Amino acid sequence: ETGVTQSPTHLIKTRGQQVTLRCSSQSGHNTVSWYQQALGQGPQFIFQYYREEENGRGNFPPRFSGLQFPNYSSELNVNALELDDSALYLCASSSRDRGFQETQYFGPGTRLLVL
Amino acid sequence: GDSVTQMEGPVTLSEEAFLTINCTYTATGYPSLFWYVQYPGEGLQLLLKATKADDKGSNKGFEATYRKETTSFHLEKGSVQVSDSAVYFCALRAASGGSYIPTFGRGTSLIVHP
């Protein structure tokens, strides 16, 4: 148990729809990162939020967006869903102070299927 | 850009056999290196880490040594168990413009038979 929770656990959407995934960070953590893990692949970094500001982004289009709230929970929003967006979406929380980032702790993921 | 290369799986072993999963990396600067394990249907769990050259990370019988001269971080275990069957990911985290961008390998599946 890492203390990181995600919801929902599974989700089915159709092409063109929009989806919001949620993540609750481990207590005391101020940084959250989101990853996309396609079947049989390693996680791909989407973006990271530190104290409610985006702080680093991977090679994903603008239709992938996020938010971090004052309690450090987070949302990942994906607009105009495409079939290739089908994947396991992982969030990971960590603590970063004075420029040093501690180890990331992952949630169990949300499995998204786009039809 | 940064990258991580892992040996392809699946790796199939009998219980109590010796395990090595190779991992090499390309990165600028001095990245931190990690091994994560993912059991079926679950998220990733940190297995071990090393933050500077010649550091050895260890946990639950697994070990890996940060080798800067060979840019490697191979995972080893002296005697595997059936419960070690999972997918193992090598990863690095390097500083880039004030943020920390992680890069993962594609994963190596380990299957341990009784």
Side-chain angles (χ1 to χ4, degrees):
Chain A
E1 281 295 318
T2 63
V4 180
T5 60
Q6 293 185 242
S7 63
T9 55
H10 295 82
L11 200 53
I12 299 174
K13 291 285 189 177
T14 57
R15 275 186 304 173
Q17 285 188 309
Q18 179 266 343
V19 68
T20 297
L21 310 181
R22 295 179 175 83
C23 172
S24 290
S25 302
Q26 186 170 333
S27 177
H29 286 180
N30 55 20
T31 303
V32 65
S33 302
W34 284 92
Y35 297 83
Q36 181 194 67
Q37 186 181 15
L39 199 61
Q41 302 293 318
Q44 298 293 312
F45 176 71
I46 302 175
F47 44 56
Q48 181 181 90
Y49 279 81
Y50 170 61
R51 293 186 173 176
E52 304 177 57
E53 298 283 333
E54 187 179 292
N55 179 54
R57 188 179 182 93
N59 190 25
F60 281 82
R63 61 188 183 86
F64 286 78
S65 63
L67 282 173
Q68 188 181 29
F69 299 100
N71 66 355
Y72 300 134
S73 65
S74 177
E75 288 183 353
L76 165 66
N77 299 290
V78 186
N79 293 322
L81 283 167
E82 301 177 359
L83 296 180
D84 285 349
D85 295 335
S86 296
L88 180 68
Y89 287 85
L90 297 165
C91 84
S93 77
S94 57
S95 179
R96 191 173 96 179
D97 290 295
R98 298 184 298 278
F100 176 75
Q101 187 178 57
E102 294 184 2
T103 301
Q104 294 188 327
Y105 294 89
F106 283 79
T110 293
R111 188 162 295 283
L112 172 65
L113 177 61
V114 181
L115 301 175
Chain B
D2 298 342
S3 66
V4 174
T5 303
Q6 293 181 233
M7 61 187 288
E8 290 210 16
V11 173
T12 304
L13 296 172
S14 298
E15 206 164 26
E16 299 183 4
F18 184 85
L19 167 71
T20 300
I21 300 178
N22 290 336
C23 171
T24 58
Y25 68 90
T26 302
T28 54
Y30 302 94
S32 296
L33 301 175
F34 304 83
W35 276 100
Y36 285 86
V37 58
Q38 186 174 36
Y39 298 100
E42 299 183 11
L44 276 69
Q45 298 176 27
L46 177 66
L47 183 58
L48 54 84
K49 67 178 182 179
T51 57
K52 61 183 188 295
D54 300 324
D55 267 3
K56 177 185 281 189
S58 61
N59 186 27
K60 300 180 182 179
F62 290 90
E63 292 184 341
T65 301
Y66 189 143
R67 300 287 189 201
K68 189 163 176 60
E69 64 276 12
T70 55
T71 62
S72 65
F73 193 55
H74 304 321
L75 182 68
E76 297 181 336
K77 186 176 185 183
S79 176
V80 294
Q81 306 300 312
V82 172
S83 57
D84 293 327
S85 298
V87 181
Y88 292 81
F89 292 92
C90 184
L92 68 83
R93 191 183 69 217
S96 174
S99 62
Y100 295 86
I101 307 298
T103 302
F104 284 80
R106 296 183 63 169
T108 302
S109 175
L110 170 65
I111 301 169
V112 181
H113 294 293

